[in-house]
Amino acid sequence: MGNLSKDQLKAIIERIETVEIEIKGLSSDRGDIYKEASSNGFDVPALKAIVRARREDPAKRQAREAMIELYRGTLGIG
């Protein structure tokens, strides 16, 4: 590996490490938000389900929700 490649590799590793630190901080922030929501009486699993659903493609989400409703109806837990 030449000097340029070594420097490039080191820079890439350092960038990855920096991003990992930022991700850890953001994950901690997310946890704090969920704790705040919980202390204000919100149901955290429901909030997480909504956040997950909002990330999904709308058509896929609607299809999944329709299937869940079909299964619930079939099992009588509607």
Side-chain angles (χ1 to χ4, degrees), residues 47-60:
L47 293 175
K48 288 181 178 183
I50 290 170
V51 169
R52 208 171 27 254
R54 286 171 53 107
R55 275 194 308 253
E56 262 185 300
D57 173 78
K60 288 182 181 180

Side-chain angles (χ1 to χ4, degrees), residues 14-40:
E14 288 171 350
R15 286 173 47 209
I16 292 169
E17 290 170 341
T18 299
V19 168
E20 287 178 349
I21 291 168
E22 291 171 2
I23 289 170
K24 186 176 179 181
L26 291 172
S27 293
S28 176
D29 292 347
R30 180 180 53 203
D32 292 343
I33 293 168
Y34 281 124
K35 286 177 190 172
E36 177 186 342
S38 179
S39 69
N40 284 307

